[in-house]
Amino acid sequence: MSVFENEVWFYIGTYASEEEVGIQTAVMNTDTGELRLVGGIKGIENPSYLALSTDSTALYAASEKDEGEILTYTINPETRELHLLDRKSTGGGAPCYVQLTPDGKHLVASNYTGANVNVFAIGDQGALAEMKGEVKHTGSGTNPDRQDAPHPHSAVASLDNHHVYVSDLGLDKVFTYRLEDNGTLTEEGATELPAESGPRHLIFHPNGQLAYGINELNSTVTAYGRNPEDGQLEIIGHVSTLPEDFTGENTGGDIRISPCGRFVYASNRGHNSLVHYNIDEMSGALTPIEWVPVKGETPRNVAVVPGGYILVSNQDSNNIVQFAIEADTGKLLITGNELTLSRPVCVMAEQPEPGVQ
């Protein structure tokens, strides 16, 4: 297979039936930004979120359906072709987020309609071994249409591997769980957000002591400080994802931080934009700098990829659009490079070796 000399491989999750190509393999030239699709596989329903092992030998995909599953694929090191290794039930409906813990020993999954969060051990060849931990949320929020039950939307491990943070859209809380060495979860508290915030995704600053969460229902981003002793998140402040003059309907989508730790990017589904924030180096608070149209509809996923690029997956316009990050200012520049494919909702890129940019 002919590939670029300087390339980054990445995998794209989509909303698809088992009969359709659900996971696409693609490559990006880091010198020119050029993108192309090089393959794909069928046999998985709605692979809406992906996780990649640190050595890029295994890919994990959440199958977002009523009886949720996590599928594990081995990756051919030469061709990047995917081969199904195993599949495990999540014991809950609509798993929509998977992440490997920083030490690579466990995979954490959140089930949106199942109200449960799973921790699986990683076994031979990267296969999922037994489920080591599971928690189930109860209760409801104040929005009867969206918060009639718990809805864990993401489960994110701290960089020191000590805690897992579950953003529950249905309960307006971010739960803190201690991640024990054996993979079990022990609740240590929760950070409560304003009613009808709908916390969705959470990311950590490279320093491990700041975190930023996007709230789906009220289109805000919350800045948090993390207590290194007990792991609790304390709210620094909230900032809108929208410009002041916008009056239409919108929901928050995804959130990412630049590798340099100076900029945060979040997506708006409705305004169909990326908002770029600068991070105050003293307080960790955010200041909005610009809103950039995503050249599509419903930007569900944002991925920062090696080479100084961002890829935005526009679910309802069937395209992935590329932006270049201006190194000094963090501003986003449209490159003109994009991919066309059905209902893209997640990009997971291979990362360079440590120390390689």
Side-chain angles (χ1 to χ4, degrees), residues 146-147 153-154 166-169 171-174 191-202 212-224 235 237-242 250-255 266-269 277 286:
R146 297 296 310 277
Q147 298 180 311
H153 210 303
S154 63
V166 178
S167 298
D168 196 310
L169 183 148
L171 302 182
D172 287 325
K173 293 179 180 180
V174 179
T191 304
E192 190 162 349
L193 293 164
E196 300 187 28
S197 292
R200 178 180 171 91
H201 287 174
L202 186 79
Y212 299 92
I214 189 163
N215 304 309
E216 177 172 335
L217 300 185
N218 69 357
S219 299
T220 62
V221 168
T222 301
Y224 302 91
I235 293 174
H238 312 285
V239 60
S240 177
T241 66
L242 296 167
N250 187 80
T251 56
D254 201 7
I255 187 165
S267 66
N268 285 301
R269 299 176 296 177
Y277 304 97
L286 299 179

Side-chain angles (χ1 to χ4, degrees), residues 25-186:
T25 304
V27 68
M28 183 188 79
N29 185 312
T30 55
D31 293 333
T32 67
E34 183 183 357
L35 304 167
R36 64 174 174 148
L37 298 172
V38 295
I41 58 167
K42 302 178 181 180
I44 178 172
E45 181 179 349
N46 295 339
S48 64
Y49 212 86
L50 308 175
L52 190 65
S53 64
T54 54
D55 60 2
S56 298
T57 61
L59 182 76
Y60 305 90
S63 180
E64 189 177 329
K65 57 184 182 177
D66 290 343
E67 296 182 0
E69 290 185 299
I70 307 297
L71 280 69
T72 304
Y73 300 87
T74 58
I75 301 173
N76 184 301
E78 300 298 326
T79 66
R80 269 54 169 200
E81 290 178 320
L82 302 175
H83 300 278
L84 181 63
L85 180 61
D86 73 355
R87 56 202 308 162
K88 288 280 193 305
S89 170
T90 63
C96 58
Y97 200 95
V98 288
Q99 187 198 59
L100 285 166
T101 54
D103 62 7
K105 294 180 179 180
H106 296 96
L107 180 134
V108 186
S110 55
N111 297 274
Y112 184 81
T113 60
N116 59 320
V117 175
N118 319 108
V119 182
F120 293 93
I122 302 298
D124 295 339
Q125 296 184 282
L128 295 187
E130 63 182 309
M131 188 189 301
K132 293 291 189 177
E134 184 175 28
V135 294
K136 190 174 180 69
H137 291 176
T138 59
S140 61
T142 59
N143 183 325
D145 295 325
R146 297 296 310 277
Q147 298 180 311
D148 59 325
H151 294 305
H153 210 303
S154 63
V156 177
S158 59
L159 301 188
D160 61 13
N161 214 74
H162 292 163
H163 295 90
V164 169
Y165 298 87
V166 178
S167 298
D168 196 310
L169 183 148
L171 302 182
D172 287 325
K173 293 179 180 180
V174 179
F175 290 84
T176 300
Y177 293 97
R178 175 168 292 280
L179 177 62
E180 309 294 350
D181 291 341
N182 62 3
T184 59
L185 297 174
T186 303

